[in-house]
Amino acid sequence: MEFSKVYFLGIGGIGMSALARYFLHEGKRVAGYDRTPSRLTAELEAEGAEVHYDDDVQAIPAAFLDPRDTMVVYTPAVPQDHSEYRYFCENGFTVEKRSQMLGHLAEGKYVMAVAGTHGKTTTSTLVAWLNRALTGGGSAFLGGISKNFGGNLVLGDGPRLAVEADEFDRSFLRLFPDVAVVTSADADHLDIYGTHEAVKEAFSQFVRQIRPGGFLVIKQGVDIVLDNPAIRVYRYAYDTPCDFYARNVRLQEGGHYLFDLVTPGGAVEVCTLGIPGWVNIENAVAAVAAVWCAAQAEGAAFDAERLRTALASFSGVKRRFEFYVNTPRQVYMDDYAHHPRELAATLTSVRKMFPGRRITALFQPHLYTRTRDFYAGFAEALSHADEAVVLPIYPAREEPIPGVTSEIIAERVTVPCRIVGREQLADEVAAMDTDVVVSFGAGNIDACCEAIAEKLRPKS
């Protein structure tokens, strides 16, 4: 790359911050804008990035104002009327989306891309962890903070590159993977796609872009057109027999499981995963399938004992099934779920993990458009709990839509439900008769987690 400086619009985003870290590691000078300070932006500043929080061309560091040596990367969440974005576009800078840059960095690598409307962050992080455990190398750009790696960027030897392939704004169509995983293709981002059929067609196009001789690992039952004749297709499931699945699944104390992992090459018996929940067993099956395919392509042996050790030592991802309190008298966990299918899967998983216990769900809806499109589904999912608390909608990049409020969810929930402001949430939860508490959302509900945990720990 001929540019010595890289400027990021939306530098605090999870995918953007991984790219920023990569270029810092490569010795480039890095700066950027984000709407609000966060833990990620603080870490980037500590690592040498220059970050500011006002949309103001005057705030761009002077060293980044020369289009001959500065490249600009932006997230599609940045609006087209953003003054800094307009400045760069109008003054001869090379300006690329995050997905375009990721596509460049993937060139020459053995790309293992995980796509899906849910499940992709944990699965891609597991792929990166298994690559490291089984080969000693591998790199990754992740959509969450891996607890094992301590970040969202993994740099390692060898050609394998694990990436989270994001369907938002059709970003994943910039990738041409060697191994692709598709975990789901549910209706989502309808503000971008318009219809569920358009979502599914984008996933079909993603599959068409798998390189000849490559592999597709797709969840059993995902309904998309598969018309790439140059690849091998494998199905995976939680416990339904197919190419890859878990059998003899046994619940252990604290929500962990023992299971046998069946592959086309035979079963790996008596596995356990370092994080709880049946949905994570399903994610692990998908990740193992991807790594198995890579081993097949390399003609490499698949070491069952090292695989068992790697699965057991996987620590998970921040905000994915993350426990703050876990005792026989009180449980509190937080999850990034922000789609009805994700909420339902997590709540049913929690119900299996803690049979007979009372579940309280705390949910912050993310985006007015998603709430408008899926309010009935959110209400149905929250009704899997014993009681629910709904926060006001987190708007992110959107302006309010008349008539779209948290009330249209809450009034349809079939268990006791109330609406509570984020600032009052910890105190409200403390005053409730709680047993198992789960918070959900892709907005800023995570800023409440430690305060909620502090209120609940005395109850444990």
Side-chain angles (χ1 to χ4, degrees):
M1 177 177 171
E2 68 271 24
F3 298 98
S4 61
K5 300 161 190 161
V6 189
Y7 189 88
F8 289 87
L9 288 168
I11 194 169
I14 192 69
M16 292 283 279
S17 62
L19 288 175
R21 283 198 164 107
Y22 171 82
F23 285 115
L24 284 167
H25 180 268
E26 291 295 297
K28 308 294 185 184
R29 191 168 173 182
V30 171
Y33 155 86
D34 210 273
R35 286 180 62 183
T36 55
S38 66
R39 181 182 299 176
L40 281 174
T41 57
E43 290 172 354
L44 287 171
E45 290 184 78
E47 293 167 25
E50 302 169 64
V51 185
H52 66 271
Y53 304 95
D54 296 312
D55 175 14
D56 182 359
V57 173
Q58 301 300 317
I60 301 170
F64 291 81
L65 295 175
D66 186 346
R68 292 171 298 180
D69 64 6
T70 298
M71 168 113 191
V72 179
V73 182
Y74 73 99
T75 169
V78 169
Q80 298 293 297
D81 61 356
H82 190 278
S83 67
E84 293 184 29
Y85 173 78
R86 290 203 319 271
Y87 171 82
F88 288 122
C89 289
E90 293 166 2
N91 285 278
F93 287 79
T94 299
V95 180
E96 290 193 349
K97 287 184 181 180
R98 180 190 69 87
S99 57
Q100 290 174 279
M101 179 54 68
L102 186 58
H104 295 324
L105 298 179
E107 292 173 4
K109 294 288 189 179
Y110 188 86
V111 178
M112 306 173 73
V114 180
T117 44
H118 45 82
K120 57 183 174 286
T121 299
T122 298
T123 304
S124 57
T125 306
L126 259 165
V127 170
W129 181 240
L130 295 179
N131 280 342
R132 178 62 54 87
L134 299 180
T135 73
S139 301
F141 290 97
L142 303 174
I145 302 299
S146 162
K147 294 183 178 181
N148 290 96
F149 291 111
N152 53 351
L153 172 68
V154 180
L155 298 172
D157 296 331
R160 293 189 189 183
L161 174 66
V163 296
E164 179 171 325
D166 187 5
E167 76 279 1
F168 175 71
D169 200 41
R170 296 178 170 83
S171 293
F172 61 169
L173 298 184
R174 300 282 182 176
L175 294 170
F176 295 84
D178 297 278
V179 178
V181 177
V182 174
T183 66
S184 49
D186 296 325
D188 199 5
H189 303 299
L190 298 186
D191 54 321
I192 301 294
Y193 287 98
T195 66
H196 188 192
E197 286 305 312
V199 175
K200 294 197 290 185
E201 171 52 32
F203 276 93
S204 293
Q205 180 58 43
F206 174 69
V207 170
R208 292 182 194 114
Q209 294 180 188
I210 300 172
R211 292 169 180 159
F215 303 84
L216 170 65
V217 175
I218 185 168
K219 184 179 174 181
Q220 182 97 311
V222 171
D223 179 25
I224 61 173
V225 173
L226 302 179
D227 54 5
N228 183 343
I231 63 173
R232 280 169 280 182
V233 178
Y234 292 101
R235 305 279 178 175
Y236 80 93
Y238 167 52
D239 61 356
T240 302
C242 56
D243 297 312
F244 296 87
Y245 67 100
R247 73 181 184 200
N248 298 330
V249 181
R250 293 92 79 194
L251 177 64
Q252 305 296 295
E253 188 175 355
H256 290 77
Y257 290 85
L258 289 177
F259 57 97
D260 302 334
L261 210 158
V262 180
T263 79
V268 182
E269 297 184 337
V270 195
C271 298
T272 188
L273 190 62
I275 56 175
W278 73 263
V279 292
N280 286 318
I281 302 302
E282 183 175 271
N283 293 333
V285 172
V288 169
V291 175
W292 185 90
C293 289
Q296 293 294 302
E298 296 168 357
F302 200 64
D303 191 318
E305 192 53 47
R306 293 176 78 175
L307 176 65
R308 285 191 198 92
T309 301
L311 290 171
S313 61
F314 181 67
S315 301
V317 184
K318 289 285 291 180
R319 297 220 61 218
R320 270 73 175 181
F321 252 85
E322 183 174 14
F323 280 89
Y324 284 78
V325 181
N326 189 0
T327 74
R329 295 185 59 188
Q330 182 69 64
V331 172
Y332 171 49
M333 59 170 284
D334 178 57
D335 194 78
Y336 191 70
H338 56 284
H339 184 279
R341 290 286 294 273
E342 295 172 334
L343 261 71
T346 300
L347 284 170
T348 56
S349 191
V350 170
R351 182 73 71 189
K352 288 184 178 180
M353 290 161 55
F354 302 107
R357 297 181 65 174
R358 189 165 180 271
I359 299 172
T360 301
L362 318 175
F363 174 54
Q364 182 188 49
H366 182 256
L367 300 178
Y368 292 103
T369 52
R370 185 178 281 124
T371 304
R372 176 199 64 200
D373 295 334
F374 302 119
Y375 63 88
F378 284 128
E380 182 179 352
L382 289 170
S383 298
H384 287 290
D386 296 292
E387 62 180 337
V389 174
V390 181
L391 281 67
I393 297 168
Y394 182 81
R397 59 189 178 270
E398 295 184 340
E399 295 299 321
I401 297 174
V404 179
T405 65
S406 293
E407 280 77 2
I408 64 175
I409 297 173
E411 67 191 13
R412 289 169 172 82
V413 176
T414 59
V415 298
C417 182
R418 69 180 91 172
I419 295 175
V420 174
R422 192 172 68 92
E423 295 75 13
Q424 295 78 43
L425 183 61
D427 288 334
E428 287 280 342
V429 173
M432 297 168 70
D433 179 17
T434 58
D435 181 4
V436 176
V437 180
V438 191
S439 54
F440 298 99
N444 60 1
I445 191 173
D446 61 308
C448 304
C449 289
E450 193 50 57
I452 294 170
E454 188 175 327
K455 299 286 188 181
L456 294 180
R457 285 188 187 108
K459 296 185 179 184
S460 66

